[in-house]
Amino acid sequence: MINKQLDSGLINKLTVILSLKNRKNFTFRWMEFMNYIHFPFKILIADGGKEDTVLIEKLNNPKNYPNINYTYIKYPFDKSYLDYYSKLADVLSKVDTPYSMLMDNDDFIFPSGLTKSINFLDINKDYVSSRGRIDG
C-alpha cells in the first residue's frame, strides 16, 4: 500500500469525478492503481461511453476494487458537447464534499498532493482552486 493513513477530516473534503468515454483498458488500469494505493477519497465515475457490458459489470461490483470508495453511474452516450456537459452537471450535483476534482482515466494522482491542495484551500479562502506540480 503506497498511501499513508490520512485524517478522516481531510478524506471527507474531496470527491474525485472520473469522467469516462470508452477506453475501457485505461479505466481498468486507473481503477487497479487507485485500488493498489488505497486511494482514500470518494470517487464518482460518470460514464458517458458506449454500452460495454464488461466495463459496466466490473465497475458495478465493488468487490473488484475493495480498497476504494467509489460510485459508478452510467449516463447516456456522450454524442455531443451538450450530452457531455449535462453528464458533468448531473454528477457534480451529487458531490457532497466541499471540494471536487475532475479527472480522466489517463490522469494519475497521489493522495499526498491532494492533501496539500486541500490544506491550501482551507487556509486560503479567497482561492477557488489549487494544482500540483508535474515534476515533483
Side-chain angles (χ1 to χ4, degrees), residues 4-28:
K4 295 177 183 175
Q5 288 297 93
L6 295 177
D7 177 85
S8 65
L10 283 178
I11 291 170
N12 295 324
K13 288 188 175 186
L14 175 69
T15 300
V16 170
I17 296 171
L18 179 64
S19 178
L20 301 181
K21 183 175 179 184
N22 306 325
R23 302 190 323 169
K24 160 175 61 182
N25 292 333
F26 281 64
T27 300
F28 291 153

Side-chain angles (χ1 to χ4, degrees), residues 37-56:
I37 66 167
H38 293 239
F39 189 74
F41 302 100
K42 266 189 219 179
I43 302 168
L44 292 177
I45 302 172
D47 182 2
K50 294 180 181 175
E51 288 293 323
D52 185 319
T53 309
V54 173
L55 177 74
I56 293 168

Side-chain angles (χ1 to χ4, degrees), residues 26 34 74 108 134:
F26 281 64
M34 293 302 177
K74 179 66 181 121
F108 290 88
I134 295 173

